[in-house]
Amino acid sequence: MNEDFLLGNGAIALGLLEAGCQVVTSYPGTPSSEILPEVVRLKKADNLKTYVEWSTNEKVALDNAFAAAITGKRTACCMKQVGLNVAADSLMSAAYLGTVGGMVIISCDDPGPHSSQTEQDTRLMARLAKVPVLDPATPQEAREMAGIAFDISETFGIPVILRPAIRVCHARQNMKWSALTDHPAKALFKKDPMRWAATPKFRFRLHQELNRKLKNISRHFDSLQPFNGHNLEPGKHYPLGVISGGVPYAVIQDILSDAGRDDIPLLKLGAPYPLPQNLADEFVAACDKVLVIEETDTVIEYLLRDRSKVLGRLSEDVPLEGELVPERIEHIISQVLSRMRLLPLNIQAARDVEDLVAGLDLPIRRPTLCPGCSHRSAFYTIRKTRPKAIFTSDIGCYTLGLNLGAVDTCLDMGAGITMASGLYHAHAQDEVQQPIVATIGDSTFYHSGTAGLLSAVYNDARFVLVVLDNLTTAMTGMQPTPGLGIRADGSQGKTIPLERVIKGCGIDFLEVLDPYDIKGMRQTLKQAFDYTKKPDGGIAVIIARHPCIIAYREQAVANRIKVTISDDCIACNHCIERFECPALYHDPVREKTGIDQALCIGCGVCLDVCPKGAIIEMNIK
Amino acid sequence: MKKKPINFVISGLGGQGILFMTKILARTALHKGFKVMGAETHGMAQRGGSVVSHLRLGDVKSSLVKAGAADFLLALEENEAYRNLPFLAEQSLLCSNKSSGNFPVPEVEGYLSNASIACHSIKAGSLAFELDAPMSTNLALLGYFSTLDRCPFTLQELRTTIEAMSPAAYKEINLKVFDKGARES
């Protein structure tokens, strides 16, 4: 028997493998990133044959998993909620076609948001695509639901979405499990072009079939214990009931149990869509009002039939945005109870501690690039070279180039390039030569850079593109990229260098440099700008390559340079504000910049940053 | 009546080893037979931002500690201690690393004593730095915490977990820092 204090994402990985999942594909993104590495860890421990891959993006991951599922195998693909947007095209169509083997799509939500561009609710995507969705409350439940999802998928021939929220993905719980074994299913693709290559006429029939499946699944969900159910006492009527699912359900259980409020019944909908209509009707009928508390958007609330009884977001009892943390939920329930003239929850008298903390004027801790991060020197140099340029950027650690004033836009994956193209044409139309620098990371470029770059080259946009290549997918936890060629299980795959891909996109100006060399990079940037202005020029691409200092601690800073501040420092704060290294601070005693030696990793890049030359190497006479 | 859970909030900055510290506490609790739920911060916030993790021991459903319900706040940095004060329940305990001689500031001290919150602090950071292990502030603070009467674990229980969880190359120094923190009480 194995035992571990598993991360929710580890629990999901375990649930997948316990159910005999044979293929797992993914593209990393918080809060989903750890699922695939945990699958790899568990598969290696028990020597399973499970096929794993980091796909280049979420659509690729979904397509691959779908293809394997229609051979009769159990498959899964994992992504963050905005990744499902990228895979939406695939999802909508896969719902119509249905599957043969079980297929689970894991899309992790980020209410808050903590590490995402939106707070979107995957359950809405499930509704849009018309596929069932499961919403776990705890890691243990996520593990169980991963297994049940395959059964539902195979029984009804439909992909199933599992949507754990961040508080499940990054919660930890103790788990025990027995040795895992391989599922015996072999790939058997039965040709059926009317289905797998269905034309619009057949799509209409598939849509009818899909709607029939949903009706049946709704009935199945009426009795899907213990994920769907309520604690009504037979024959009893209640003034107020609460309906919830997922993380808020667990929180509400704690709140009501701590308060000893068994007078408030609870309907749990861990499988909220398609809504188990009979179960929901039964609960609503036993209550005068029902309060729906769901995260992050409005799904269950809209689907309840007796509108006259429903309280929630539409009645403005539940906030429209933000994470439903315990104290917020407690407040919501208590307010509704008070308004209905029922006994409110016994919330401790509001203390003045929030005001006290606000009054302390605590430093705002914005996320920052690490000391020694090569993105910092790249951004510093880009901004220094063309301060009036528009800086379009992308999604990754380097979004933090914001702090250096070298990121003006961040829309979605790949938009560093496409926004640059759009901004160019908007200005060129007015005959304005607007300098534009696009930045994008290596992994993001492989994810969705090429289509935008092809289009920009084809349509003769002019801008400088800097690909920030730190040889890893840093923000999400150091996953490998096609540029490295290392695969998800650690084996060596084929390496596809950025240079080859970029040239293949029709780029004629391509330079590779190390952004630690500020002077060299300035020179190259100037040449690049010149090239964009030439009539026969085009888009100029620079690969700024330097290993991530977290992933490659030793190689990243080969020669450590101890730096110090000379008396020439006039405390102009140029280095602190423009270079923004966490190791640089204002020393009020010396009235100069100081170097925090505990944070400094000795990259020595700041030696070239001070306009007075006051950042110097230690021990040099 | 079910037994009251024990709620921890652990706060600090990205890179200070909040996750490792949380794991040590969690494993020790598991060894003692507690049911354990934890909640961690990953992703963008890890890049130098404020990091908080929650740990709940006992029969609980959710991994999140409610504001005003924490029994212990362990903070690896002064400002991160202040920032998370709203988590602390009355009669709870704050155990913090400090770098200045001015911790807690008078207005916080007043609040803590009004709410009967015990406040313990040491210079865990400089202590770890002196042992040439600046990344081990977390272990120095844990050592100190282990000696407090209200700590639900004994020094030996935590020490055993650290020994079991530390990679071979760091075992000796980790225990050294932990022991030094414990002697500060």
Side-chain angles (χ1 to χ4, degrees), chain A residues 20 31 144 379 415 480 599:
Chain A
E144 290 162 22
F379 281 123
L599 289 176

PDB file of all heavy atoms in Angstrom, chain A residues 20 31 144 379 415 480 599:
ATOM      1  N   GLY A  20      -7.356   3.293 -15.029  1.00  0.00           N
ATOM      2  CA  GLY A  20      -6.755   2.651 -16.199  1.00  0.00           C
ATOM      3  C   GLY A  20      -6.568   3.590 -17.375  1.00  0.00           C
ATOM      4  O   GLY A  20      -6.521   3.153 -18.531  1.00  0.00           O
ATOM      5  N   PRO A  31      -3.815  26.541 -12.638  1.00  0.00           N
ATOM      6  CA  PRO A  31      -3.371  25.585 -11.609  1.00  0.00           C
ATOM      7  C   PRO A  31      -3.339  24.121 -12.053  1.00  0.00           C
ATOM      8  O   PRO A  31      -3.439  23.251 -11.205  1.00  0.00           O
ATOM      9  CB  PRO A  31      -4.433  25.780 -10.538  1.00  0.00           C
ATOM     10  CG  PRO A  31      -5.682  26.125 -11.286  1.00  0.00           C
ATOM     11  CD  PRO A  31      -5.265  26.792 -12.568  1.00  0.00           C
ATOM     12  N   GLU A 144     -11.782  10.475  -6.888  1.00  0.00           N
ATOM     13  CA  GLU A 144     -12.921   9.594  -7.149  1.00  0.00           C
ATOM     14  C   GLU A 144     -13.651  10.001  -8.431  1.00  0.00           C
ATOM     15  O   GLU A 144     -14.051   9.157  -9.233  1.00  0.00           O
ATOM     16  CB  GLU A 144     -13.905   9.634  -5.969  1.00  0.00           C
ATOM     17  CG  GLU A 144     -13.353   8.967  -4.721  1.00  0.00           C
ATOM     18  CD  GLU A 144     -14.109   9.372  -3.456  1.00  0.00           C
ATOM     19  OE1 GLU A 144     -15.268   9.808  -3.568  1.00  0.00           O
ATOM     20  OE2 GLU A 144     -13.515   9.257  -2.369  1.00  0.00           O
ATOM     21  N   PHE A 379      14.531  43.185 -21.193  1.00  0.00           N
ATOM     22  CA  PHE A 379      13.540  44.272 -21.127  1.00  0.00           C
ATOM     23  C   PHE A 379      14.206  45.622 -20.901  1.00  0.00           C
ATOM     24  O   PHE A 379      13.814  46.634 -21.485  1.00  0.00           O
ATOM     25  CB  PHE A 379      12.527  44.000 -20.007  1.00  0.00           C
ATOM     26  CG  PHE A 379      11.467  43.008 -20.387  1.00  0.00           C
ATOM     27  CD1 PHE A 379      11.254  41.855 -19.648  1.00  0.00           C
ATOM     28  CD2 PHE A 379      10.646  43.225 -21.500  1.00  0.00           C
ATOM     29  CE1 PHE A 379      10.272  40.940 -19.997  1.00  0.00           C
ATOM     30  CE2 PHE A 379       9.666  42.317 -21.860  1.00  0.00           C
ATOM     31  CZ  PHE A 379       9.477  41.167 -21.101  1.00  0.00           C
ATOM     32  N   ALA A 415      -0.372  36.533 -28.416  1.00  0.00           N
ATOM     33  CA  ALA A 415      -0.780  37.877 -28.823  1.00  0.00           C
ATOM     34  C   ALA A 415       0.365  38.886 -28.813  1.00  0.00           C
ATOM     35  O   ALA A 415       0.209  39.994 -29.318  1.00  0.00           O
ATOM     36  CB  ALA A 415      -1.929  38.379 -27.953  1.00  0.00           C
ATOM     37  N   PRO A 480       9.583  21.075 -20.026  1.00  0.00           N
ATOM     38  CA  PRO A 480      10.435  21.194 -21.213  1.00  0.00           C
ATOM     39  C   PRO A 480       9.648  21.699 -22.426  1.00  0.00           C
ATOM     40  O   PRO A 480       8.426  21.709 -22.416  1.00  0.00           O
ATOM     41  CB  PRO A 480      10.909  19.757 -21.439  1.00  0.00           C
ATOM     42  CG  PRO A 480       9.850  18.900 -20.825  1.00  0.00           C
ATOM     43  CD  PRO A 480       9.291  19.681 -19.670  1.00  0.00           C
ATOM     44  N   LEU A 599      20.204  38.192  -1.686  1.00  0.00           N
ATOM     45  CA  LEU A 599      19.367  38.009  -2.874  1.00  0.00           C
ATOM     46  C   LEU A 599      20.183  37.999  -4.167  1.00  0.00           C
ATOM     47  O   LEU A 599      19.834  37.348  -5.141  1.00  0.00           O
ATOM     48  CB  LEU A 599      18.314  39.116  -2.963  1.00  0.00           C
ATOM     49  CG  LEU A 599      17.177  39.075  -1.936  1.00  0.00           C
ATOM     50  CD1 LEU A 599      16.276  40.293  -2.105  1.00  0.00           C
ATOM     51  CD2 LEU A 599      16.362  37.797  -2.097  1.00  0.00           C
TER      52      LEU A 599
END
